[in-house]
Amino acid sequence: MDSTYLAEWKEPDRLDMQMLGFWIYLMSDLVIFAILFATFIVLGQNYAGGPGPKQLFDLPYLFGETMLLLTSSVAYGFGMVAMQKEKRRAVLTGLVVAFLLGAGFVVMEIHEFHGLIMAGHGPANSGFLSSFFALVGTHGTHVSFGLLWMAVMMIQVMTKGFTAGVRSRLMRLSLFWHFLDIVWVGVFTVVYLWQLL
């Protein structure tokens, strides 16, 4: 059998398997977040005599944080549209904008955590704060790893162009990034809005 034909046959097969594996990973992540949400719902009213959400959370600040992450996904989406047209410059622009907005989200989250801990409201103070830091911190860690992945993809787009492997990895990062958006909408609704309104 012709070696070129074999290479073309094996590459899509390998990429399909990687995509399947990534979907399995996302489902396992979904289970982790479901457990963290359930924990917060159970412990979210346990303030142990300390302050509650109305004393600790600043809704306009959190709304700004949310907008950064959501617009980051929009920028990434424009990058993916540009990838279909093989416009490298537009893809890189989309990735850079998405990265900067995502980094802004992480910085705001770290600032929020730092402010709470410095004010004496760390995760050890109550069930509410333990479950809050566990859920929001896990999401923030995922976003941080997503940013690292995005930086690697920028380098790969610059050095390798749009090979089948690079396209597949960009697609998987897109799934991951939008998945984190959906989780954050849940966090914003359950952890912040539900507690504040």
Side-chain angles (χ1 to χ4, degrees), residues 14-15 35 46 66 85 90 96 107 116 125 133 140 153 155 160 166 185:
R14 184 175 63 83
L15 295 177
I35 292 168
N46 181 357
T66 301
K85 300 174 182 174
V96 168
V107 168
L116 287 171
N125 287 32
F133 276 98
M153 290 315 302
I155 295 169
K160 298 182 178 179
V166 170
V185 169

Side-chain angles (χ1 to χ4, degrees), residues 117-143:
I117 292 169
M118 288 298 104
H121 308 304
N125 287 32
S126 67
F128 159 67
L129 285 168
S130 297
S131 55
F132 164 77
F133 276 98
L135 173 56
V136 180
T138 300
H139 179 270
T141 303
H142 276 69
V143 174

Side-chain angles (χ1 to χ4, degrees), residues 127-183:
F128 159 67
L129 285 168
S130 297
S131 55
F132 164 77
F133 276 98
L135 173 56
V136 180
T138 300
H139 179 270
T141 303
H142 276 69
V143 174
S144 300
F145 278 110
L147 290 173
L148 180 63
W149 187 1
M150 209 176 287
V152 171
M153 290 315 302
M154 283 186 244
I155 295 169
Q156 290 197 353
V157 169
M158 283 188 286
T159 56
K160 298 182 178 179
F162 299 117
T163 63
V166 170
R167 283 173 174 273
S168 177
R169 285 187 284 278
L170 283 170
M171 283 297 297
R172 276 176 269 154
L173 177 56
S174 176
L175 285 173
F176 184 67
W177 205 242
H178 294 308
F179 168 75
L180 292 179
D181 264 2
I182 294 168
V183 173

